[in-house]
Amino acid sequence: MPSHRIVRLLAPAVLLAVASTGVHAQGQPSKGEQALKYRKAVYQAIAWNFAPMSQMAQGKIPFDAKEFELRASRVAALAPMLSESYSADSSGVAGSKAKPEMWTNRTDFDAKMKDLVDRSAALAAVANRGDAAKSKQAFLDTAATCKACHDKYKAD
Ligand code: ASC
């Protein structure tokens, strides 16, 4: 059999094998890998904006109502973007710190994620009114929702 004919016969099998590993022909990340990358980017953006609020809440830098409100509004906008990044096809993708039980306790995980979304929305609303003590408390309440989920579902 001529070699070009063999290639033509094998091509569909090769394509199928490549597709089933989730790696595209040009080495692009799979859907699951893209979801994980997106998830990490959103978490990074949240952490970046969390940091100044954390420092203000701890009295490490002076409370600045405008700055606090800006950071709070960003976190409130980012938090609802997370749940989409926990797509089924991202389960088991290398590089994730999610413990396996996160995927099997999805109802509890989703409830914890909703706590973050609700508390960060409340934080933004409180920060909008500019009261230092109330803003700091709303921040601590939000940070507690981060911790609740990390303690249970994040490795290390
Ligand atoms: C942060 C950050 C977290 C949370 C967590 C809250 O700033 O990066 O993961 O707050 O420490 O307890």
Side-chain angles (χ1 to χ4, degrees):
M1 193 188 291
S3 62
H4 69 269
R5 176 122 176 79
I6 294 171
V7 167
R8 229 180 322 145
L9 279 173
L10 290 179
V14 170
L15 281 178
L16 195 68
V18 168
S20 67
T21 61
V23 180
H24 293 201
Q26 294 91 21
Q28 287 153 343
S30 67
K31 277 279 173 207
E33 287 166 340
Q34 288 177 49
L36 177 60
K37 201 170 175 186
Y38 171 68
R39 185 193 309 162
K40 290 188 171 195
V42 175
Y43 275 124
Q44 189 178 354
I46 289 174
W48 178 268
N49 287 284
F50 234 57
M53 288 191 285
S54 178
Q55 293 198 305
M56 288 184 220
Q58 294 173 72
K60 290 183 179 169
I61 58 171
F63 183 79
D64 176 334
K66 274 267 158 266
E67 175 76 3
F68 198 99
E69 183 192 359
L70 173 70
R71 303 299 174 178
S73 69
R74 286 183 181 168
V75 170
L78 289 160
M81 298 179 189
L82 286 170
S83 74
E84 177 188 2
S85 77
Y86 287 89
S87 55
D89 53 14
S90 69
S91 170
V93 168
S96 172
K97 290 180 184 169
K99 289 183 183 170
E101 48 271 41
M102 184 243 111
W103 295 99
T104 50
N105 293 324
R106 195 56 201 251
T107 306
D108 180 56
F109 176 79
D110 288 344
K112 285 177 162 48
M113 189 58 89
K114 186 180 184 309
D115 287 342
L116 167 64
V117 170
D118 291 349
R119 295 268 180 91
S120 58
L123 170 62
V126 169
N128 182 253
R129 297 196 283 274
D131 181 276
K134 286 182 179 147
S135 294
K136 288 176 188 180
Q137 187 56 53
F139 170 80
L140 294 176
D141 292 345
T142 306
T145 68
C146 304
K147 188 174 188 309
C149 202
H150 293 170
D151 285 353
K152 203 163 171 188
Y153 297 123
K154 189 183 177 196
D156 76 39

